[in-house]
Amino acid sequence: MNTEFTHARGTHTLVRYPAEHQHKSLQAWDAVDEYIISYVQANYTDLLDNITPQRMAILNDDFGALTCAFQACKPVHISDSFVAQLGARHNLQQNDLDSASIEFIASTDKLSQTFDIVLMQLPKNLALLTYQLHQLRDCTHPDTIIIAGGKVPVVTKNVQQLFNTILGDCHTSLAAKKSRLVIGSVNNALTPPPLTPWNTWEITKPVLQLSHLPNVFSRLHLDIGARFLMQHLPLIEGEHVVDLGCGNGVIGCTVLADAPNAKVTFVDESYMAIESAKRNVQDNFPEQYAQCDFVVANCLSQVDLEHVDLVLCNPPFHQQNAVTDHIAWQMFKDAKQVLRHGGELRIIGNRHLPYGNMLKKRYGGFTVIATNAKFSILSTYKSDASRR
């Protein structure tokens, strides 16, 4: 795995976070990072070196490549991913860069600064991009330089239209290494369409009205995997249940509907997911809200839990744009740390994924609860005999 990222502003050693779980072939930067850095260095060196500091914002920097390159500018790192922020901190520290000089802001926080330069890795999710562009309107000025980058297939006409209608006129760069930039500024005279960050839909069994912020998985309808898992939950009464990778919290809310005395801990690495889960419990189960905890975390690492009775999860098989099974492996490992002896881990996954073998290695065995054409639901238990 190549860890040396040489770019227009120097060389940094970067790893994908958490390094111990990553595939050797994956690196912590891409050609888009390289293009953004080289473009800024070639065109705005005078601003970066100006005696008056330019306030810089960096959005969607997954592992800190941009943040490390521009650390001297003391940028504000804005992300919906807690893991991305951990990764940026880690890479800053291993390059002897002062991570305390960087302000880390969650996607759900209100931006109070005014930025002179904005750098962005374009998200694939147009709803999230719409949300972020509206955020930027409120914290920029007409001379703010906005540079967003993405792979050529991501820089679509729809993306350009969003920039034009929310911020103002923009233009795109020539393609380089299959990457392209969107370069724009803010037109204060423009009146963009109003932002509607929350999307809502209902399900009938159980009867729930669910609301979601833009970056939450399956925000427009109930995910078919979640629906299948909801049909095959174990009997729950007053147990402590963890909804791991909770998204909008639909699984945990189903537990609350079936077991009013249950304690439920909702965990996700997405700030928007946790805010959505909070709202959904408040809206659907206000009397049970005090029985719930909501935690932004990297799986269950450094989460203060023990003697959990049941962990439920639908593990993601990608991190940003890379297909990977390391998140599932970490979820299974972390679940074992918090489960009581005899506690259950119940998961759902696509049938082709090797989750059964992973559970067998970690727990010593598993049971197939149900299958259909696409998914399998697997169950395993923590026992004294299972491996640590």
Side-chain angles (χ1 to χ4, degrees), residues 47-56 72-74 116-117:
L47 288 178
L48 298 179
D49 296 338
N50 194 306
I51 194 169
T52 303
Q54 301 293 307
R55 192 65 168 157
M56 176 182 287
C73 302
K74 299 181 180 180
D116 305 300
I117 303 174

Side-chain angles (χ1 to χ4, degrees), residues 139-202:
C139 58
T140 50
H141 52 78
D143 293 326
T144 299
I145 300 159
I146 300 172
I147 302 167
K151 294 296 186 182
V152 168
V154 174
V155 186
T156 63
K157 290 183 179 179
N158 288 336
V159 166
Q160 296 174 56
Q161 184 65 22
L162 285 176
F163 274 83
N164 288 333
T165 58
I166 298 173
L167 296 184
D169 290 341
C170 71
H171 68 276
T172 58
S173 71
L174 296 174
K177 295 184 179 179
K178 300 181 181 180
S179 304
R180 197 183 297 277
L181 303 181
V182 181
I183 302 150
S185 58
V186 178
N187 179 358
N188 285 344
L190 182 69
T191 302
L195 174 65
T196 54
W198 290 93
N199 182 263
T200 301
W201 43 262
E202 297 179 351

